[in-house]
Amino acid sequence: AAMRPSFDSNTLPLVLALLTAVSSGLAYTMIAFCRGQVAPMTVIFHFSLFSTIAAGFLMIPSFVVPTPRDLIMLILIGIFGAGGQIGLTYAYQKAPAAEVSIYDYSGIIFSAILGYVLLGESLSLSTIVGANIVQDQQPARIKSFQRLAVKLVFTLHQLNQIRQRDELHRERTSCRDLVRQDTCQEGLSGSLAL
């Protein structure tokens, strides 16, 4: 669902997504403004500290003790999120914000690929079209890398269609076998009754 947006959604999540995009844009512009004045790790520390405190207060009403599997996933989310934040902060400190932000859109393509590979999510035609649109808007220096990613998304989509056809074929074959078996059993029951 996250990779297949529609216009029949609830308005509140859409407004929150827009506000999130605006606040992220402001945060990254401020990070670029701090270039040369504040060390990147200082920015990361304050970002993480504020995020932890804010999230701590927000989770109190609905806190649930995570299962061991969920805890591992949460730890991995923290590790990858921290790695991404460190990389983004250094990138915004070393290059203009407008240039760095373009690369953020690559996340859409990689989310689609990772969602397919790790979570078994299906890739729709709109995902492939969207990945191509994102790829076309990128600077030439990353287009070749993204072109490869888009080809991977398309290949995964084709594999997904093949897998779905195979599953449908197996279901139909299994159903036909069950019908034949029931018919044979009915025939046997009828002949034994005579």
Side-chain angles (χ1 to χ4, degrees):
M3 296 307 295
R4 287 186 214 111
S6 64
F7 294 103
D8 59 351
S9 300
N10 185 352
T11 309
L12 180 62
L14 299 176
V15 170
L16 290 174
L18 179 63
L19 291 174
T20 299
V22 169
S23 65
S24 292
L26 285 169
Y28 293 130
T29 303
M30 289 181 210
I31 290 171
F33 176 77
C34 291
R35 184 182 316 138
Q37 300 173 21
V38 179
M41 291 309 282
T42 303
V43 172
I44 293 164
F45 171 77
H46 285 91
F47 173 82
S48 300
L49 178 66
F50 178 77
S51 297
T52 301
I53 292 170
F57 284 120
L58 292 173
M59 78 171 187
I60 289 172
S62 59
F63 179 75
V64 176
V65 177
T67 64
R69 180 181 176 272
D70 290 345
L71 183 61
I72 290 169
M73 294 305 285
L74 289 169
I75 290 169
L76 289 172
I77 289 169
I79 290 169
F80 290 121
Q85 188 59 47
I86 291 168
L88 266 177
T89 301
Y90 274 99
Y92 276 103
Q93 291 249 331
K94 303 291 182 193
E99 193 174 309
V100 173
S101 65
I102 293 170
Y103 294 90
D104 251 353
Y105 294 109
S106 302
I108 297 168
I109 297 170
F110 295 114
S111 291
I113 293 169
L114 293 171
Y116 177 82
V117 172
L118 300 176
L119 303 176
E121 294 176 348
S122 62
L123 298 173
S124 66
L125 187 60
S126 62
T127 302
I128 294 168
V129 170
N132 276 305
I133 290 170
V134 167
Q135 188 268 327
D136 285 342
Q137 302 305 314
Q138 300 301 315
R141 60 182 168 259
I142 65 166
K143 276 191 177 184
S144 60
F145 180 67
Q146 284 191 333
R147 212 171 281 127
L148 179 65
V150 169
K151 285 179 184 176
L152 180 60
V153 168
F154 184 70
T155 303
L156 291 173
H157 175 68
Q158 289 176 324
L159 290 172
N160 188 40
Q161 286 182 328
I162 291 168
R163 185 181 71 201
Q164 287 175 348
R165 274 193 302 251
D166 287 348
E167 286 175 8
L168 185 61
H169 177 71
R170 275 194 299 274
E171 285 175 15
R172 286 181 181 163
T173 304
S174 174
C175 194
R176 270 188 246 135
D177 291 345
L178 286 173
V179 168
R180 285 184 193 141
Q181 193 176 30
D182 287 345
T183 305
C184 289
Q185 286 177 354
E186 286 174 13
L188 280 174
S189 298
S191 64
L192 290 174
L194 295 174

